[in-house]
Amino acid sequence: MPTSKATQAAEDLREEFEALRKDVSEMMELFKDKGSTYKDELSEQVEEKFEEFQDKAQQGAEKAYERGSEGLEEVGERIRSHPLASLAIAFGAGYVISRLMDQGK
């Protein structure tokens, strides 16, 4: 009798292990599928964020270019309205820069 109970217990244990192995296998497949789905979703989100960043960077570059152009036009207008003062300032700045460069030698 003790052997049949032991045999039955071993058989029950074997069935439980088999069921557990099957459950673990199913869970691994589920995780693999979920991981793939999560990877795809994450990839799409990263791509969307990258496109948004690229658009914002493009807009920022265009605004900077426009501001730079406006600044150059303003400087050009000031030079046209005060040519002698502009020439004197340019000469003075060049002289100061050349003196600073000579000190380094």
Side-chain angles (χ1 to χ4, degrees):
M1 246 335 182
T3 6
S4 73
K5 284 184 181 180
T7 308
Q8 184 63 34
E11 186 64 33
D12 290 343
L13 190 58
R14 196 172 302 128
E15 289 174 6
E16 287 182 32
F17 275 132
E18 189 61 37
L20 182 61
R21 186 176 299 140
K22 182 180 174 187
D23 289 344
V24 168
S25 178
E26 289 174 1
M27 286 177 54
M28 293 302 289
E29 286 296 319
L30 181 63
F31 284 143
K32 192 183 293 183
D33 292 342
K34 286 286 187 183
S36 177
T37 303
Y38 179 72
K39 180 190 75 165
D40 293 341
E41 290 174 6
L42 185 61
S43 177
E44 289 175 13
Q45 289 175 356
V46 167
E47 188 174 330
E48 288 173 7
K49 292 293 182 183
F50 180 73
E51 288 174 0
E52 289 176 17
F53 175 75
Q54 193 174 16
D55 290 342
K56 287 181 182 179
Q58 180 69 27
Q59 291 172 357
E62 290 173 359
K63 286 181 182 178
Y65 180 77
E66 290 173 5
R67 287 183 182 169
S69 295
E70 290 172 1
L72 286 176
E73 288 177 16
E74 185 178 326
V75 168
E77 287 298 317
R78 287 187 185 199
I79 290 172
R80 281 188 210 99
S81 64
H82 305 291
L84 291 177
S86 300
L87 183 61
I89 290 170
F91 178 77
Y95 180 76
V96 169
I97 291 172
S98 70
R99 296 300 284 176
L100 291 173
M101 298 293 273
D102 286 341
Q103 286 180 357
K105 289 184 178 179

